[in-house]
Amino acid sequence: NAGVTQTPKFQVLKTGQSMTLQCAQDMNHEYMSWYRQDPGMGLRLIHYSVGAGITDQGEVPNGYNVSRSTTEDFPLRLLSAAPSQTSVYFCASRNTGQGVYNEQFFGPGTRLTVL
Amino acid sequence: AQKITQTQPGMFVQEKEAVTLDCTYDTSDQSYGLFWYKQPSSGEMIFLIYQGSYDEQNATEGRYSLNFQKARKSANLVISASQLGDSAMYFCAMSLTGNQFYFGTGTSLTVIP
């Protein structure tokens, strides 16, 4: 089991560029999510998905798009990067079988810098 | 509105001593989950322990225990017999129905030899 994988680990973009952060999990989890971590702010939920074809917004969705075409993959798209999107991005997944009582498993993170 | 509050930005503890990291939460839901995660300097998020809102007993996992006081809306993490490898950021988190997950701002723990 690889768990939750993310690529790339590091990325530098120029303002206005677009890119996709990849996330995959091999645990057959229905729930997947994206967070950003900024100094002093903890982790904030960007978008989440409860299954293929179903996505919803979290706390800070602006500037990001997601889609979920398979159970395994949940990519995060930045259509026009801004310096305010410089952050560390984490993807996570969990089983939804016990509702609120399941922990999330996190990927190793992607450190993104927007110049 | 802040749903998870961690008031200790940094804590120090002597090796082999116990330490308590504070966490308070805010929700009117009856069903929720409370979690603690560890983030070492390498950056990964490691799940430590969880407590369900209906659990009457405090959760324990090895040297970690969660002091759950529902009426006070607190979910403090207790680490017993601290080790140098416990030096890390610690995050308290809460899951609510509706698939929202909230994290606190974290506490940086330093274990002193």
Side-chain angles (χ1 to χ4, degrees), chain A residues 7 16 24 32 45 51-52 67 77 100-101 111-112:
Chain A
T7 56
M32 295 185 74
L45 182 63
S67 60
R77 295 184 188 85
V100 299
Y101 303 125
R111 187 174 294 273
L112 176 68

Side-chain angles (χ1 to χ4, degrees), chain A residues 31 35 37 48 100-101 104, chain B residues 32 37 39 54 95 98-99 101:
Chain A
Y31 181 94
Y35 294 86
Q37 183 178 23
Y48 66 91
V100 299
Y101 303 125
Q104 295 195 82
Chain B
Y32 50 89
Y37 286 84
Q39 187 178 42
Y54 294 113
S95 65
N99 294 300
F101 222 86

